[in-house]
Amino acid sequence: MTDTSTPLMARQPILDRRGKTVAYELLCRSVDVDSLKLQCDNGTMATGEVLMGAFHDLGIDTITNGLPAFVNLTESWLSNPPAVQAHKLVCEVLEYIPATPANIEAVQHLRGQGFKVALDDYTGDPAQSKWLPYVDIVKVDISDLVVGHSSASLYQQYKRDNLVWLAEKVETIDEFERCKGEGYSLFQGFFFSRPSPLFGTRNNDSQFAVMRLLKTLNNSENTMLDISNAIQSDPQLSYRILQFMNSASVATVKEITSVHHATTMAGVNRIKSWANMLALGRLDNKPRALLEQALSRAYLCQMLALRQPDVDQHTAYTTGMFSLLDAFIDLPLDEVCKKLELSVAMTDALLNHEGRYGQMLHLAIIISKGNWAQISTLPKGVTLSDLAEIQSKAFTEVSHQLMLSGLS
């Protein structure tokens, strides 16, 4: 790793009674959250930094070697958890979060989804003790216990079946042996290892990551579960999808609470269309006008397809969206088509404007540029009088979708 790499986070091992590493806690290093005020003000951002670094920039399995990652979650994150695989993440309830009915319900929902929940920095404070019936792991800060309590007395008072006790801030061999004798089964602290920084490059949704996601989203052999898993592996995209769904008209019945739920409610084709848009919109080094142009082509193609019952509107939408992939990815369009393993029909449409989808794309490009005089032929089922209405609806839809997605 080069010296110019950025410290994205720190990692501290969590060990069992035999001294074997069984998990890691991931700690933010770009946001200082040592004080209560800073935790309240910046904790949500700090958690986001850790999750993005772990699940996007570096890769969670690379960081933890397949072991669970303990990550602090603020109230906001408890209520809107990242859509990642439950066995990869242990959700830590920060010590200052009150055990309100809403927060308890959020924690119970997390556990219902298969996540383990840990109470962080427990000192014996009565307010913190209210959390104990609702968590799987209690992390006792043995260096800062409330007067009148000891690590042993807390364990004896609150121990129950299936509640795992973790001693943190363990700094000496004597503390390790004492806590082990008291009944603690997990341990964390400077005696074992100080938090070690993890370096990497903050790619801000690199072209490589976007290409990999687009390839998964647009593989015709992938199932709804494959698509959901691809989105869930990216915390930022998952958040955007859920935010988008809960802002859109499809969410009129009840709140969309997971990517799988979103896919079921909206349908895999609509989710793929939105995910393609959101993925390209996260390439921060590209002008927003490029995304607007791609969206305009996508909606023009889709609306042209709606007037032709024998073509698929979702394929038409994707053809329009992908017609500018070379500008997004900085690779020739033929190479992009090969890397994404697009179908022959879509490849011919993108590269040569051939076939039904190619004809629609060619017309969409002409309309988006305002070159009406160049229109020589129209797709079956489309008349000249339709085009002005199609253009107007596409313009309105682009603005609406950018607003809903937070990309405007």
Side-chain angles (χ1 to χ4, degrees), residues 314-343:
H314 300 290
T315 301
Y317 175 96
T318 304
T319 301
M321 175 68 75
F322 282 8
S323 64
L324 289 167
L325 270 182
D326 51 343
F328 281 106
I329 306 299
D330 296 326
L331 287 172
L333 194 54
D334 60 340
E335 189 172 339
V336 175
C337 290
K338 290 178 183 178
K339 287 182 178 293
L340 294 181
E341 299 178 0
L342 298 179
S343 67

Side-chain angles (χ1 to χ4, degrees), residues 39 82 109 142 146 169 216-217 233 243 284 287 307 341 347 370 400:
Q39 284 179 336
H109 180 67
I142 67 171
V146 170
K169 310 289 178 64
T216 302
L217 290 173
S233 68
Q243 180 187 48
D284 293 335
R307 287 164 168 78
E341 299 178 0
T347 298
H400 180 61

Side-chain angles (χ1 to χ4, degrees), residues 244-263:
F244 192 55
M245 284 286 295
N246 285 315
S247 300
S249 59
V250 293
T252 55
V253 178
K254 56 183 177 179
E255 185 180 10
I256 306 298
T257 57
S258 70
V259 170
H260 179 70
H261 187 192
T263 306

Side-chain angles (χ1 to χ4, degrees), residues 70-146:
F70 283 59
V71 176
N72 293 335
L73 297 190
T74 60
E75 281 186 274
S76 175
W77 280 103
L78 286 177
S79 299
N80 299 280
V84 300
Q85 292 174 298
H87 71 276
K88 294 181 181 290
L89 180 67
V90 177
C91 306
E92 292 198 30
V93 178
L94 289 164
E95 65 275 13
Y96 63 84
I97 294 178
T100 63
N103 287 336
I104 290 172
E105 182 180 357
V107 164
Q108 289 177 316
H109 180 67
L110 279 172
R111 296 178 72 194
Q113 291 181 304
F115 289 96
K116 296 293 185 183
V117 176
L119 175 60
D120 190 31
D121 287 339
Y122 179 54
T123 63
D125 185 295
Q128 289 180 291
S129 300
K130 295 177 182 178
W131 276 114
L132 294 178
Y134 307 104
V135 299
D136 304 286
I137 303 165
V138 53
K139 299 180 68 177
V140 177
D141 182 350
I142 67 171
S143 70
D144 190 29
L145 298 175
V146 170

Side-chain angles (χ1 to χ4, degrees), residues 28-35 37-39 41-43 45-46:
C28 183
R29 282 298 176 260
S30 59
V31 179
D32 183 0
V33 290
D34 287 339
S35 74
K37 182 178 187 305
L38 285 172
Q39 284 179 336
D41 292 346
N42 300 319
M45 180 172 66

